[in-house]
Every structure is written in structure tokens, then in C-alpha cells.
Amino acid sequence: MKRHQRNYILGGAPLACFLGAALIGRFWTPFNPMRIDLRSKLQPPGAAHWLGTDEFGRDLLSRLMAAAGTSVSISLTTVFFALLAGLTLGVIAGYARGWTDRVVMSLNDALLAFPSMLLALALLSITGANMYGIILALGMAYTPSMVRVVRGSVLSLREREFIDASRIMGNSAAYTMLRHILPNCLGPVIVLATSMFGSVLLTESALSFLGLGVPPPAPTWGNMLASARPHIAEAMWLGIFPGLCISLSLLGINLFGDAIRDRFDPRMRGL
Amino acid sequence: MLKFAFTRLLSAIPTLFIVSVAVFGLIRLIPGDPASLMLGDLADADALAAARKAMGLDRPVPVQFAIWLGDVVQGDLGRSVLNGQPVLDLVLHRFATSAQMVLIAVGLSVLVAVPLGMAAAWRQNGGLDLAIVSMSTLLLSVPTFWLGLMILLVFGLKLGWLPVLGYVSIADNPVAGLIYLVMPVLTLVLHEVGIIVRMARASTLDVLRLDYITHARAKGMSESAVLLHHAARNAFGPTWTLIGLILGNLLGGVAVVETVFTIPGLGRLIVDSIYARDYVVVQGCLLFVALTYLLVNLVVDLLYPLFDPRVTAE
Amino acid sequence: MNQPLVEVDRLSLSVRGLSDHQIVRDVSFRVDAGEIVGIVGESGSGKTMVARSLMNLQPPAISISGGDVRFEGRSVPAMTGKQVRALRGARLGMVFQEPMTSLNPSMTIGRQLEEPLKLHARLDAPRRRERILDILRRVDIRDPEAAFRAFPHQFSGGMRQRIMLASAMLLKPSLLIADEPTTALDALVQREVLELMLEMVRDEKTALLMISHDLPMVARYCDRIIVMRQGEVVEQGPVAEIISRPRHDYTRELLQSMPMRGPLRIIDQAASAVVEVKGLEVEYRTKAGLLAPKTIKKALHGIDLCIRSGEIVALVGASGSGKTTLGRCIAGLVPASSGGIFFAGKVVKPGSPAWHHYRLNCQMIFQDPFGSLDPRMKIREIVVEALRHDRQAGRVEKAERVRAVLEEVGLDGRYLDRYPHELSGGQRQRVAIARAVVGRPQFVIADEAVSALDVTVRTKVLQLLADLQRRHGFSCLFISHDLSVVEQLADRVVVMRDGVIVEEGKRDAIFVAPQHEYTRALLSAIPTLTRTDTGVSLSWRFAQADGALAEALQ
């Protein structure tokens, strides 16, 4: 079996579990993830509560499933946002060149001069820490790297002879861009989008962990970890399971992303 | 070489300018009036008007920007709303804390990761390669805040080897300071190793394919000499750039790791200031972080010709 | 018979772990001391792998699955790593194809040349340096002292290949292996480097094993030829015998593929010009940097050129001569800074009403068959796109025309729904030709259209181009650095150098009696072929034109 086929499977399995849990969690969870039941607080994993309960007696598994849904929606929407904005700006900058390019890229470089986590933090103070605010902030924080990749591949595609061939056939710039350039830069874009999905998920969790993400009591893996911290000595499971969820999802996404990259970019094959 | 350095320096100026506009603009975009943010919600109208005048908010925005930029250039980043401390002092003090941790961590990561990455590339598709690549993918996938928590759980709480709470600066007490740094540095190292190994491996693979490697072998050089004298230096270029990016990113504060280990670093300062709506500090931090990032990458670029003399010829 | 220097005995190479996937099968040959032997083959023939296995330097994924390689009677694969390394660089030297990647970019020339001396000779630093300066002088590097401290990127391709040669010959090896040593170089530089190499191996009585796809070049310099194809040796023997009396079909095919002068065609000199350019100039501006002032470099200096109806005009010159720029400028891909392009007597400019009409009538075939087809489109889509601006034809008619034109270039209906990566280089170039002619243009520009193809494929594609031209009667500007290809196809030849036309005339006039020294030097690099009953005979033009060569290179 080739390495990237193996990676598809190795990465696909946890990724499918993660997406499946998120989907199921939308409709059904073993318990109500928000229901406080102080009588059964801090119970270790057992028959009633498979993964135990937290300091308010809420069922951990239910909360993890609900959190998966929140993370998936935020990450997917953010990546979609960055994808649309990045493709539009990147293609325009790369194809028009000249002043348009210079203006777009100067702004872009300036945004890239902030670590994306920090940029998201700063933007969050403008947009506010709710679901839409987070998506907007993360989207804007991640757009610059997408713009950079799209522009780069547009610039290198422009030099290819089939683009000259399109001009020779009498095609307009707009047609050439849509018919020849755009489809050909999808490869690197999909590769980046996959890894971006993982990195948005990570940043979202980190923001929640810092208390700047989706506000409690709505569960996210990050804020579950943050609230577990004071209890970690006596209730280890509270600290272990949310982190395990994040790690396994990220591992799945990373392996899957490697497989996709191997398909599109044979140069990096076997990594 | 000089010309290369000079051009690179000049090219940073527009970015610097846009960064400062962005930082300035960001604070203006936060809902609410800066003066009322500063005085709090309970201030009366007269005090507000006085504050607005004092802050120059009644003047046109470009003028406000010019005044602000002028202050910044003179090293005046304003004062914290919360405790009246000069922002620059606050930022520098916190930065020192974050920086010692990050520099040690990145340094150690490079020492571990680069040889591992090269070894993996050298034995591409072998057992060693598989082991190293799997390990790096795994490390990459574990978020630092959880990794930190687990390290804390194991070494701090279960084994009790290391102190769980509090922080001692290396400057005050070198031995105790180092002990407090062990867990956060370990957390950071494990994560960054995952990232750097992949890059070191990929760029070594790229180099090992080239003819000059075969040429070196055709001269009768041993494998280790080929790897050390011909592959290592050329393969290090892309990794060096990545190290710059990582360093630039981390020097901006590692808020999550600082939170896990209760370290009063720059990242924690930003988060706390956002909580406290102390936007003058947030602004100062952002500007400082962006400048650090640009500076680190500038230095990295200027040193790049050490690994590849071709770049100066551009 | 005395012991051969190198003896390859039923050598087989296969992909590691897949012993039935053989890359080289049962290859046997020998090289005697001081002998000059050539291995000829097309891409994929395994010639490079054989050469590398002589030093046990095949890529890690390839292993020796059978047979043996003996150097002075000792089996190379059986040696320990240390024993092989003692041979490499000392007794066996190697020159690589790609001068851009065969020297370490981050190490000075001096240090790179010092390595073999440190490993194999007991010399102190000053004497090592002396040795290196000597050999740099020997390969005609100007200012060896400066070169010693310089980095590879500071040298041109030809100079780097000389440095490679110096590195390989430093310890006077018994065998020099040269893998396509001059393929990446311009024709004139090619010959210089080759002759220097020959001179050096003869002086040192070093045996030379030259690997090349270029049969005439090998025939010119070697004593013996080994012909390889798909991992096997099909024929070997003395040069004269192989080329005049080939025994194997493949060798015959190779020789038949050698471009020969095509038939003379009468072009009506009074015929109207299809495309004409007058006083064409192209400038490249380097952007004004922060320190560097804006500079303007002229790539073309006032070119006048006329292509008549039904005529094939060849544009030749070394790289940097401006021939490609001229072609791209006529095609409208590069803007002219002054001068004009006339189509059917009327001036055309980008944006003018006549431009679109010209655009559709001036098509182009590019050099790289891997880059000129959109990888995400099917062959059908690629060709039909060229008819996009044809308003009269309907969908069905267009599909029919695509099918017909592909048939015409030798690709049947099976290829319609394939993607470019599923096709070979030759097939891709056929698609590119189909795309260029499907709209029945009056004028086609072929920019190095066959340079990237293997010899046997090249001839077939050239033949196709000639047939299509005869059938459809379009005019053609054929841009090439390879004069032997030009000789086969062109009616008229235009020679360019440094952005200026230095000579222009009917093909036979140019090839028989060139007026300009530069043309003469270019021609001296290619053989004249005559077919004999069984094979071919090669002779060389202006072999004495060395003075001219040196001058032309200045």
C-alpha cells in the first residue's frame, strides 16, 4: 500500500469519528450537556456516565459531543471564509500585478506580521466573543496566508506555456483566469485549506481555553479543559478526554492533509 | 552583500508603516469611545469631554495618528488604564519573561529536530524514517495547552518532581528560575520539534536528490561527510526561515503555555488586558509583537546568505 | 588479450524489492585503458544507470540484481564501502549533465576541488592549492585565483562544466565517465567543452565513457559505440562499422532518424508576405530598485523579417540571441517597444480591430510538451478551445473537426478523453500541433517545437509538421537552436545573434556557403549526413573553422 493511501485511512478514521460525533451531537446526546446535577458531580467514568461528569455533574461525553459540533461549525465556516476571500484577493493580485498587487500584498504582509493567534485575539476585541465574532475574527486572521498561497501559485502558473497558449487562442484575461488559472491553483489551495482546518480548530480551542472563545456554559473542548484545570488532581478524566478529542481530531486532519498533499504535490511525497 | 542587507532593510519600511496604521486603527474600531473605555462606564459627561480633549480625540483622525505615531517613535506607548504604569515598561518586563522561555525552547527544539529530520531523510522510507515522521505528526497534533496540562499532571501532581504553581525569575534566582522553566520549555520543545522535523526532512530530501550530492559521493567522500559537508548546510536554509517564523510567532507570547503554568509573560498580559478592556496596553503589546516579528524575520533573512550565497546575487 | 580496464558482465539492475522490474537487463561491454567509448540511447534506455553502477552510485532505490562490474579485474559491487570510495574520485572520475546543480552552491570552488585531494592525495595545503590552480588554468578558467574563492553561481554553464571537468580530472583517473556532459549547453560552447575534455583525456591517457543521446556527437569523438534501448544493449562496435553498416533494426531507425536536408521547394519570391515585421524592437526594463537605477536592456534591435505565403522560415541562433523573444513578440505575447507587425499588408497592434483577426490566424506551438497543455483538461477540451472564437461552427461541427484534426496528427478517438499526463511527450506535442492548426490559421510559429523530444520521435513529429504544412499551406516561423533540424524543414534561414539578424538566405545557400563567421561556427557543430546503402556517412563542415569559433564566442 502506498504511503498516502495508508494516510488516507489512518487519518480518515479519527476524522470520520470526529465529524460523526459532531453530527450526532447535533441531534442526540446521552444526557443534556447543559443540565447541572450537583448530586453526581465529579464522578469518574462508569456505567451511567461513560466518561464521567464534571464539577457541575454534567455528563462529559454529552458535552464532548456537543463541543465537537461547535468546533466543526466554527472551523468549517472559518476555512470557507478564508478560502473565498483568499481566492478572490489572491487571484486578482496575482493576475493583475502592478499596483493592485502591491496594495493587496502590502496589506497582506502587514497582517501576516502578526502571529495569527494574536491577530485573532485582537480582532475578537472588535467583533466580540460570540460564535459569529469568532468566525469573523478567525476568518480574517487566516485569510492572509491563503491570499499568499493563491497569489504565489497564480504567479507561477502565469509563466506556464499553456497560459500563453490560451492568449494565443484569442481568449480574454478573465476567461483565461477562470478556465485555466483557477482550476490549476485549486491543488495547493485544497492542501492549505485542509491544514488550515486543523489549525483553526486548534486556535479556536486555544481561545476557548483562554476564556476568549465561545462563552460558557456552551461547551467547547477548550473551555472544558480550562475549567478542568483546578480539578485535574482529583478528576483526571476531565483533563484527559477533551484533550484527547482535540489531539485525535488534529491527528486525523494532519494525516489526511498529508495524504491530500501527496496527491497534489508529489515533490513532498512520503513526508 | 551590503547592498542586499540595505535593500532588505528598506523593504521593511512600508510594512512597518502599514502595521502601525493597523494597530492604531484596530483600537479605533473597538466598539465604544476610547475615552469612555479609559475612564470606565461610570464617568460623567464633563470628565469624558476633558479626557477626549486630553487624548486629542476631538481632532481629525490623521492628526490623532500622527500624534500617536510621534509618541510611539519616542518610546511612549501610553499608560495602562488599570494601574497607570507606562505600557513600554510593562511590555518589556513581560517580554523578558516570555523571551527567555521561548529562546531556550526554540534553541533546544532545533538541536533535537534538525538532526532527526536529516536522519529521517537520509533513511527515507526506512524504519527510522517512519518512526521519526510518525512521532512528529503525533507531536504536531497535540495542542500545547493539553500537553502542558498533562506534563503538569504527571511531573507536578502525580510525581511531584516539579513545582506546580508560581514563578521565579531566572534573574532573581537562577536555579529556582530554571526549575520553574522545565515544564513550560518541555511543552514548547515537544510541540516545535514536531514542526521542525518535518521541514528539515523535506528540505534534506530536496537536497539529497541533487547532482552535487552524487558528485560528492563520486569524489570518494564517505556518507557522513557527504551529509555533513554538502547536504546539511544547503538543506538548512528553508528550516532556518521556518525557525524565524516560529521564533517570531512565539516571542509574541505563548499565552496558553503561560496560562497553564501561571507564568507572567507577554501573552498573558495581552489576554488579561483584553479581559480588563485595558486597550492602551493591548495596542502597545500588538505593536511590540509585530515589530519583534518583523525584526526577527529581518535578522533571519540577513543571515540567510550564510546557508545559500546565491540569494545575495539577486 | 590483456585485461580490460572496466568490464561490465551481464549486468542487470532492478528497482529494489521488485526484482522482476528490471531497468537494465544483461548488459555487457568493456572499456580498455585509454579508450574512448560512447553509450548512445534515448531517454529511458538505462544508459545513465549503467554508468552510475560503474561507481556503485546508482540511486538507493535501484539495486544490482545480476551480473557484475569489474574494475581492473576486481568486482565493484563486491567491494566494501571503503574500497569503493578509494576508487571514486581517484581512479574513476565523473562529469554530470546539469552544470547548474552538479556543484554545491554554498561552497567555494576551491574547497570543492580540494576535497578529492584531501581524500586521495597526501599533499599539504599550499601544494593542494597549487594543484587546483594548475588544473583551473588547464581548463581555461580566467583568473584561477579569483575562481578559487568564488561560488558556483558566479559562473556560466559552460564555465561550470569546465570546473566539473577539472574536479573529475584532478587526480588523473584511469576512467572518466561523462553523462550527457554538454547537453545543457549551447552548441558552440558544447563543442569547446567537448574538445577540451577529449584533449585532456588523451593527454592523461585516461579512458572516457561518454553517455549521450546524440549519436553524431558520439560518433565524432568516440572509438567505439554501444547502442542501448529499453535497458538492453542492442549493438556495439567500432564507430565506422556501426554507422555505415548497422545490424540492428533500432540502430538503423536511429540513423534513419538523423535529420537530413529536406527537398528543395520553390517558393514564389513574388508571393505576398503573410506576416512582415519592420524595425521591431523589444526592451526589457528592470524595475528601478531602491539603489539600482532603472535599466533598459534591448532584446531586439530593429528586426525586419518577412514570411511569405506557404513558406517555412527558420530562425536560428544560440540562447540569448533573441530568437524566442522575436517569436513571442510576433505572436503578441511580448509587447514591441517600437516597430510594427504587418499581417496581409495591414499593420496590426494589440487592441486594434484587426488584432483579433490576426490573433486567430497566428498560432503557436511551444517547446515544452509538458507545460503547454492545461493539465486539468481533456485532450478533446484542449483542442476544441482553439475553436472557441469560431462563431459559424456549431457544437457538433466543432467536435467533428477536433476528431478529424487529431486523426490527422495520428491520434485516434481513444485519446479524446485522456488527460495530458496520460500521453507521452511526442503525443502531447501532436496535441499541441493539432490545437495550433485546427482553426486553419495562415501562420504558425513553432518555438523549439521538437527540442524536448527523443531523436526518433523528433523525426516523426517534424515529418508531421511538414506534411500538415504541405496540406494546409500555412506559413511557418520555425524557431530552433538545432541547425540539423532546420536543414530538414526550412525553405529559408534567418540567423540571429544578440538581437540582430546577422545572416539571412535560402536554406541551401546558408548551409553550403554561409557568409557570416557566426553561421559558419554554428554549422561546424553539426554533421553533414549522406545515406549509404546500409547506413549513413557523416562528415563535418568547416572543421578548420576554429578561429571563427573562437571569434564567434567572444
Side-chain angles (χ1 to χ4, degrees):
Chain A
M1 187 158 49
K2 282 185 190 149
R3 195 164 197 151
H4 69 103
Q5 289 168 331
R6 194 191 57 211
N7 278 353
Y8 268 125
I9 295 166
L10 274 178
L15 195 56
C17 288
F18 165 48
L19 293 176
L23 200 65
I24 296 171
R26 294 255 118 169
F27 307 106
W28 176 83
T29 48
F31 291 85
N32 180 348
M34 315 282 256
R35 206 195 65 199
I36 295 176
D37 178 8
L38 291 174
R39 279 167 307 169
S40 53
K41 68 172 185 178
L42 292 179
Q43 284 188 4
H49 298 278
W50 290 356
L51 298 182
T53 58
D54 69 2
E55 71 276 20
F56 295 111
R58 294 172 298 196
D59 180 55
L60 195 62
L61 177 63
S62 304
R63 284 180 71 74
L64 286 175
M65 285 170 73
T70 315
S71 290
V72 172
S73 349
I74 291 183
S75 308
L76 276 184
T77 326
T78 302
V79 170
F80 196 66
F81 178 103
L83 204 69
L84 272 186
L87 270 178
T88 315
L89 289 171
V91 168
I92 289 173
Y95 201 81
R97 295 194 287 195
W99 273 107
T100 326
D101 184 29
R102 242 174 278 172
V103 169
V104 172
M105 288 321 286
S106 311
L107 286 172
N108 206 57
D109 284 348
L111 285 182
L112 278 173
F114 299 96
S116 52
M117 169 87 180
L118 213 58
L119 191 56
L121 271 179
L123 289 170
L124 263 180
S125 0
I126 301 176
T127 58
N130 51 60
M131 182 108 166
Y132 298 102
I134 292 169
I135 289 171
L136 200 62
L138 285 173
M140 293 206 298
Y142 278 93
T143 299
S145 52
M146 187 61 89
V147 171
R148 178 150 282 267
V149 165
V150 173
R151 173 180 173 271
S153 61
V154 169
L155 282 183
S156 78
L157 282 170
R158 280 186 69 112
E159 304 301 318
R160 300 275 294 273
E161 284 183 336
F162 68 85
I163 299 304
D164 285 339
S166 175
R167 288 174 68 190
I168 293 278
M169 283 183 258
N171 294 327
S172 65
Y175 176 86
T176 305
M177 184 131 94
L178 286 176
R179 186 76 181 91
H180 296 291
I181 292 191
L182 205 56
N184 278 291
C185 59
L186 283 183
V189 165
I190 289 171
V191 172
L192 179 64
T194 318
S195 69
M196 196 179 267
F197 181 64
S199 135
V200 170
L201 185 73
L202 185 65
T203 311
E204 184 266 325
S205 304
L207 286 177
S208 291
F209 179 75
L210 293 174
L212 294 164
V214 177
T220 66
W221 292 338
N223 68 24
M224 289 167 75
L225 270 181
S227 54
R229 197 178 176 281
H231 310 284
I232 194 160
E234 63 269 22
M236 260 196 288
W237 62 92
L238 284 182
I240 290 176
F241 291 119
L244 213 53
C245 285
I246 305 177
S247 303
L248 285 177
S249 312
L250 281 175
L251 186 65
I253 295 168
N254 285 336
L255 286 172
F256 202 73
D258 284 354
I260 291 182
R261 191 207 42 217
D262 284 350
R263 206 173 103 51
F264 283 110
D265 183 7
R267 214 174 59 87
M268 301 280 281
R269 187 156 290 169
L271 200 132
Chain B
M1 177 64 211
L2 261 175
K3 193 179 149 192
F4 166 76
F6 196 60
T7 341
R8 181 65 188 78
L9 273 172
L10 284 180
S11 73
I13 291 176
T15 317
L16 268 178
F17 181 74
I18 296 172
V19 163
S20 56
V21 173
V23 170
F24 175 78
L26 194 71
I27 299 307
R28 303 286 129 157
L29 286 172
I30 290 174
D33 182 75
S36 64
L37 285 177
M38 193 169 149
L39 295 181
D41 299 335
L42 299 171
D44 62 62
D46 286 348
L48 213 58
R52 288 180 61 86
K53 198 158 177 66
M55 289 167 77
L57 289 175
D58 50 347
R59 302 210 220 165
V61 174
V63 176
Q64 293 179 32
F65 175 67
I67 294 171
W68 176 77
L69 195 61
D71 288 345
V72 167
V73 170
Q74 291 167 39
D76 177 8
L77 293 177
R79 281 171 183 279
S80 162
V81 176
L82 223 51
N83 52 22
Q85 263 187 297
V87 172
L88 187 66
D89 294 354
L90 205 56
V91 167
L92 284 177
H93 181 70
R94 294 297 198 97
F95 174 71
T97 305
S98 293
Q100 52 177 272
M101 175 170 72
V102 166
L103 286 175
I104 297 174
V106 172
L108 286 176
S109 311
V110 172
L111 287 181
V112 175
V114 171
L116 279 182
M118 286 187 61
W122 185 51
R123 287 270 172 258
Q124 190 190 4
N125 295 331
L128 182 68
D129 182 26
L130 188 68
I132 292 177
V133 168
S134 310
M135 182 210 66
S136 84
T137 311
L138 200 66
L139 287 177
L140 198 72
S141 306
V142 180
T144 43
F145 47 92
W146 187 56
L147 189 62
L149 219 51
M150 290 299 109
I151 288 176
L152 192 78
L153 181 64
V154 174
F155 295 104
L157 295 170
K158 294 289 164 196
L159 298 174
W161 291 353
L162 294 160
V164 179
L165 276 174
Y167 173 78
V168 174
S169 162
I170 285 196
D172 297 340
N173 181 346
V175 179
L178 273 177
I179 289 175
Y180 276 98
L181 276 181
V182 171
M183 288 196 292
V185 164
L186 181 64
T187 307
L188 283 173
V189 166
L190 285 176
H191 189 72
E192 301 311 327
V193 160
I195 298 172
I196 299 173
V197 159
R198 288 162 71 96
M199 176 56 101
R201 177 178 180 275
S203 52
T204 310
L205 277 182
D206 275 350
V207 166
L208 285 181
R209 259 200 302 274
L210 295 175
D211 275 347
Y212 63 80
I213 297 297
T214 316
H215 179 201
R217 290 192 179 124
K219 287 175 188 171
M221 297 178 74
S222 65
E223 278 301 291
S224 57
V226 169
L227 222 55
L228 277 177
H229 297 163
H230 289 274
R233 192 161 154 194
N234 291 295
F236 193 60
T239 312
W240 176 242
T241 307
L242 178 76
I243 292 169
L245 291 173
I246 289 178
L247 205 57
N249 255 312
L250 295 186
L251 281 178
V254 270
V256 285
V257 176
E258 288 166 7
T259 304
V260 173
F261 297 103
T262 56
I263 296 166
L266 190 58
R268 204 51 234 178
L269 176 66
I270 298 173
V271 174
D272 289 340
S273 306
I274 291 177
Y275 271 138
R277 301 174 71 80
D278 191 347
Y279 290 113
V280 183
V281 178
V282 175
Q283 192 179 34
C285 289
L286 283 179
L287 189 68
F288 184 81
V289 168
L291 290 185
T292 315
Y293 188 84
L294 287 176
L295 192 71
V296 168
N297 282 296
L298 187 72
V299 172
V300 164
D301 278 4
L302 289 179
L303 291 179
Y304 198 91
L306 288 179
F307 309 108
D308 189 347
R310 283 173 298 184
V311 288
T312 48
E314 289 299 311
Chain C
M1 205 147 111
N2 39 10
Q3 190 185 44
L5 181 69
V6 172
E7 194 175 11
V8 175
D9 184 14
R10 301 181 62 84
L11 177 74
S12 294
L13 300 173
S14 33
V15 176
R16 203 174 283 279
L18 304 163
S19 50
D20 50 335
H21 188 4
Q22 290 193 327
I23 293 178
V24 166
R25 267 181 309 278
D26 277 344
V27 165
S28 301
F29 64 87
R30 54 183 278 167
V31 180
D32 290 325
E35 201 185 16
I36 295 172
V37 178
I39 300 183
V40 175
E42 295 184 345
S43 50
S45 62
K47 55 190 193 300
T48 295
M49 289 305 144
V50 170
R52 296 217 169 169
S53 66
L54 298 190
M55 292 169 103
N56 212 359
L57 269 181
Q58 62 277 17
I62 308 271
S63 66
I64 295 177
S65 53
D68 199 5
V69 176
R70 282 185 288 273
F71 181 75
E72 292 176 336
R74 293 156 63 209
S75 164
V76 176
M79 285 181 197
T80 63
K82 207 173 167 190
Q83 287 169 322
V84 182
R85 288 203 294 275
L87 287 184
R88 292 179 189 163
R91 310 291 316 279
L92 292 161
M94 190 150 180
V95 176
F96 297 84
Q97 169 172 4
E98 206 26 88
M100 295 301 158
T101 57
S102 54
L103 290 166
N104 185 340
S106 67
M107 217 186 244
T108 59
I109 301 296
R111 278 192 55 204
Q112 295 193 51
L113 290 186
E114 243 181 340
E115 283 174 344
L117 287 178
K118 277 186 186 162
L119 282 165
H120 304 292
R122 289 161 192 270
L123 293 174
D124 54 6
R127 284 171 60 200
R128 281 203 297 265
R129 188 187 156 84
E130 211 30 66
R131 262 298 261 290
I132 291 165
L133 293 179
D134 277 346
I135 194 127
L136 286 176
R137 242 169 257 132
R138 178 73 184 82
V139 297
D140 296 330
I141 296 286
R142 254 171 258 153
D143 197 357
E145 300 268 352
F148 192 88
R149 289 185 307 272
F151 287 98
H153 69 268
Q154 293 164 296
F155 294 91
S156 68
M159 285 297 147
R160 289 192 213 188
Q161 217 51 339
R162 285 162 189 271
I163 292 167
M164 272 304 288
L165 184 60
S167 162
M169 292 298 291
L170 201 51
L171 284 150
K172 305 186 180 19
S174 320
L175 175 69
L176 178 66
I177 301 165
D179 187 1
E180 301 271 11
T182 59
T183 309
L185 307 176
D186 258 341
L188 297 181
V189 184
Q190 221 172 61
R191 195 177 142 203
E192 267 204 339
V193 171
L194 270 179
E195 290 185 351
L196 176 68
M197 183 159 89
L198 264 296
E199 205 181 294
M200 284 176 77
V201 294
R202 283 189 186 124
D203 285 358
E204 308 293 349
K205 304 203 169 34
T206 296
L208 174 66
L209 183 65
M210 186 149 76
I211 289 97
S212 177
H213 68 283
D214 187 347
L215 180 55
M217 193 217 22
V218 169
R220 185 175 196 176
Y221 296 110
C222 295
D223 307 325
R224 234 153 29 80
I225 299 188
I226 298 158
V227 183
M228 281 190 70
R229 184 199 189 196
Q230 291 171 3
E232 288 179 75
V233 169
V234 297
E235 187 164 1
Q236 54 180 310
V239 169
E241 215 167 281
I242 295 270
I243 65 166
S244 60
R245 283 187 302 282
R247 286 183 308 263
H248 195 278
D249 286 346
Y250 177 67
T251 320
R252 242 171 261 139
E253 191 191 341
L254 262 187
L255 289 167
Q256 295 298 322
S257 306
M258 299 280 129
M260 305 219 177
R261 189 171 303 172
L264 181 68
R265 307 192 309 172
I266 309 298
I267 301 294
D268 184 4
Q269 292 302 307
S272 59
V274 170
V275 172
E276 197 172 2
V277 301
K278 285 182 186 156
L280 207 61
E281 302 209 334
V282 168
E283 292 172 354
Y284 286 115
R285 288 156 200 271
T286 58
K287 246 194 312 188
L290 290 155
L291 296 171
K294 191 161 81 181
T295 56
I296 297 177
K297 208 180 143 202
K298 269 195 187 174
L300 297 178
H301 302 266
I303 300 285
D304 298 321
L305 182 66
C306 163
I307 297 135
R308 294 187 184 80
S309 176
E311 188 182 32
I312 302 180
V313 176
L315 193 55
V316 301
S319 61
S321 62
K323 59 183 192 308
T324 291
T325 306
L326 178 55
R328 291 175 65 85
C329 182
I330 295 176
L333 293 173
V334 172
S337 52
S338 74
I341 303 167
F342 298 82
F343 176 60
K346 282 198 258 335
V347 67
V348 285
K349 270 205 173 79
S352 72
W355 180 256
H356 193 66
H357 177 59
Y358 170 62
R359 173 74 296 147
L360 298 181
N361 266 298
C362 162
Q363 291 300 307
M364 192 157 176
I365 303 162
F366 296 89
Q367 166 170 12
D368 177 12
F370 289 85
S372 65
L373 308 178
D374 187 333
R376 296 198 164 268
M377 282 166 86
K378 290 177 178 168
I379 303 306
R380 174 204 302 278
E381 298 170 313
I382 289 172
V383 180
V384 82
E385 195 187 358
L387 295 174
R388 206 169 79 89
H389 297 278
D390 188 337
R391 302 253 176 264
Q392 271 110 48
R395 191 186 258 285
V396 182
E397 190 196 333
K398 283 181 182 175
E400 195 36 57
R401 278 171 73 179
V402 168
R403 182 182 292 278
V405 77
L406 281 172
E407 201 87 35
E408 223 180 336
V409 299
L411 299 173
D412 59 36
R414 282 176 303 163
Y415 291 95
L416 281 169
D417 288 310
R418 299 212 179 151
Y419 285 94
H421 71 261
E422 299 173 279
L423 270 55
S424 69
Q427 288 171 332
R428 283 156 178 250
Q429 208 57 322
R430 286 168 192 268
V431 173
I433 292 173
R435 173 175 64 185
V437 302
V438 67
R440 297 272 179 278
Q442 293 182 43
F443 178 49
V444 172
I445 300 174
D447 185 4
E448 300 277 10
V450 295
S451 312
L453 305 176
D454 268 330
V455 190
T456 48
V457 181
R458 175 186 300 183
T459 309
K460 289 178 190 139
V461 172
L462 273 180
Q463 197 53 51
L464 171 70
L465 204 57
D467 288 348
L468 286 173
Q469 194 273 335
R470 209 171 306 121
R471 209 168 314 143
H472 301 305
F474 53 79
S475 313
C476 181
L477 181 66
F478 188 88
I479 302 169
S480 178
H481 70 283
D482 185 349
L483 277 109
S484 49
V485 168
V486 164
E487 187 174 15
Q488 180 171 347
L489 202 65
D491 299 313
R492 203 148 54 85
V493 177
V494 175
V495 185
M496 276 186 77
R497 181 190 179 186
D498 298 338
V500 181
I501 292 177
V502 295
E503 186 166 4
E504 167 172 15
K506 286 189 184 154
R507 177 194 60 196
D508 292 5
I510 295 275
F511 275 80
V512 175
Q515 299 303 304
H516 198 279
E517 295 294 359
Y518 182 69
T519 317
R520 206 183 277 268
L522 283 176
L523 281 171
S524 70
I526 62 156
T528 316
L529 279 104
T530 351
R531 291 207 202 291
T532 61
D533 295 343
T534 46
V536 297
S537 81
L538 297 169
S539 59
W540 302 88
R541 280 170 271 232
F542 321 111
Q544 76 290 1
D546 284 343
L549 178 68
E551 191 187 311
L553 278 168
Q554 292 290 302

